[in-house]
Amino acid sequence: MELLEDRIRRDGRILPGNILKVDEFVNHQVDPELMVAMGKDFAEHFKDLGITRVLTLEVSGISMALTAALELGVPMVFAKKISSKTLSNDTYHSKVFSFTKKIEYDIRVDKRFVTPDDKILIIDDFLAAGQALHGLIDLCEQGGAEVAGIGIAIEKVFQGGGKIFRDQGYDVYSLAMIDHFTDDGVVFFNEVTQ
């Protein structure tokens, strides 16, 4: 998606450890127009799959998952990382290791929102090694739901997570695919493959 790639070039910052900081428009301050465009792009790609719910992980995936769900006309559910008194004990849970924070989270979702009748579209902001996706797919498997597709805002191709899930047969659709970083900035996968 050219709009997202342009924004990454303009406002993204590369930090040590192959970390791309996009807090000006994705995961701290959010650009609503960009999120709407991303939601439309995800919905267009997955529109014919009979999606019944969109699932994401709090917090950074929520804005793009919401706009995709709105376009698809289905509910959006987010797996919680933070314990809550209002969340019932009747939940599915999994563990997710955060590459950027170097900690493991327990994630959970109410069993009412992931069922065997569901065809779920998973949406997330980043795909690197695939830890968050493993956890979200595990929640779907626990609930007997079908993972119909996976939408990713920014994939770091060089970290291999996307290949793992594509090799398993998942339809992984990434709006911006980063091949590598240089001293001058970001090199996108489509620039290398052309």
Side-chain angles (χ1 to χ4, degrees):
M1 171 185 224
E2 191 174 333
L3 183 63
L4 179 56
E5 290 179 0
D6 289 346
R7 195 65 188 269
I8 291 168
R9 279 190 189 98
R10 189 176 79 224
D11 295 325
R13 292 181 292 147
I14 302 164
L15 303 178
N18 287 322
I19 295 170
L20 176 64
K21 196 161 176 70
V22 290
D23 62 345
E24 284 194 33
F25 53 100
V26 171
N27 57 17
H28 192 58
Q29 175 174 271
V30 175
D31 180 333
E33 290 179 5
L34 178 61
M35 293 304 119
V36 168
M38 290 166 63
K40 287 180 179 181
D41 199 330
F42 284 134
E44 180 62 27
H45 181 83
F46 294 108
K47 69 181 178 188
D48 297 325
L49 299 180
I51 305 293
T52 60
R53 293 186 208 267
V54 174
L55 174 66
T56 192
L57 184 59
E58 74 175 350
V59 171
S60 299
I62 291 174
S63 57
M64 63 198 71
L66 179 63
T67 59
L70 183 64
E71 288 294 319
L72 290 165
V74 300
M76 185 273 296
V77 178
F78 61 91
K80 296 191 174 202
K81 293 185 206 174
I82 300 166
S83 196
S84 167
K85 291 181 183 179
T86 61
L87 187 64
S88 78
N89 291 329
D90 201 18
T91 60
Y92 300 117
H93 16 150
S94 191
K95 296 202 178 281
V96 170
F97 182 77
S98 170
F99 175 78
T100 53
K101 295 186 177 101
K102 304 290 187 226
I103 58 172
E104 186 173 70
Y105 291 102
D106 287 314
I107 63 169
R108 62 193 62 75
V109 66
D110 192 300
K111 290 182 178 179
R112 296 174 299 152
F113 305 136
V114 176
T115 72
D117 296 327
D118 281 317
K119 294 182 89 174
I120 291 182
L121 170 59
I122 294 173
I123 300 274
D124 207 5
D125 60 340
F126 275 95
L127 172 54
Q131 294 298 315
L133 274 185
H134 280 294
L136 290 167
I137 289 170
D138 182 39
L139 294 176
C140 293
E141 288 173 348
Q142 289 177 52
E146 177 187 341
V147 176
I150 298 169
I152 301 295
I154 302 166
E155 178 181 343
K156 295 179 186 174
V157 176
F158 60 91
Q159 289 186 268
K163 181 176 179 352
I164 291 168
F165 294 102
R166 288 181 183 97
D167 287 350
Q168 292 174 8
Y170 290 104
D171 178 3
V172 179
Y173 178 64
S174 299
L175 301 182
M177 298 175 72
I178 296 172
D179 186 76
H180 62 279
F181 297 120
T182 68
D183 292 340
D184 297 325
V186 176
V187 178
F188 291 100
F189 187 71
N190 58 358
E191 297 167 337
V192 174
T193 57
Q194 291 176 352

